[in-house]
Amino acid sequence: MPLSNADRQRRYRQRLKAKAAGANVAEQARFAVERAIHALWAYHERPGPGGVLWSNIDGCHTLDQYRSELERSPANLIQACRAFLPGFEGLTPAEARTVADVIEIADALRLAPATPIHIPGV
């Protein structure tokens, strides 16, 4: 049975309240990590230094191979994200924001001071 417009709006408001209250924070962190992996992969798909493909440099030819490389060690994802500091060169503003989100989450989990982040063009 389809939902009425009022029911959809009520559900939407409930989701917004839950998000604002910190509900599903782990799921939000997973979503941020997933977005960052896709942003890093998009960068990986572009030619590297001197026009050489990154896949020829690191041997990762698919997203699954790249993800596997990041999963090999817990620090790999954070190191890959931090490699773009301070200016996020080579990333689009949207990709830079997703990578910065993961850096900020990592700092919070380590109880470290927040890394100063400036995303050019944003």
Side-chain angles (χ1 to χ4, degrees):
M1 180 168 141
L3 295 174
S4 70
N5 191 37
D7 288 335
R8 277 193 295 280
Q9 288 177 358
R10 183 177 42 77
R11 280 186 168 181
Y12 176 73
R13 284 190 301 274
Q14 286 173 340
R15 283 194 306 269
L16 285 179
K17 285 180 185 177
K19 187 176 180 181
N24 299 323
V25 72
E27 187 61 34
Q28 291 174 23
R30 282 187 199 89
F31 183 69
V33 166
E34 190 63 32
R35 288 180 39 219
I37 290 170
H38 284 275
L40 294 170
W41 177 249
Y43 176 82
H44 186 275
E45 288 288 275
R46 298 180 199 124
V52 178
L53 295 176
W54 284 107
S55 57
N56 292 340
I57 296 170
D58 66 10
C60 296
H61 298 281
T62 67
L63 176 59
D64 288 337
Q65 288 175 331
Y66 187 68
R67 177 187 296 281
S68 176
E69 200 56 35
L70 293 174
E71 291 172 351
R72 211 165 37 95
S73 170
N76 285 353
L77 175 63
I78 304 307
Q79 288 175 348
C81 291
R82 287 188 186 281
F84 289 97
L85 289 174
F88 297 96
E89 290 84 15
L91 297 178
T92 67
E95 291 167 348
R97 180 71 260 158
T98 62
V99 169
D101 288 345
V102 170
I103 293 169
E104 290 173 349
I105 291 168
D107 287 348
L109 291 174
R110 289 184 316 123
L111 301 176
T115 300
I117 293 179
H118 171 70
I119 301 172
V122 175

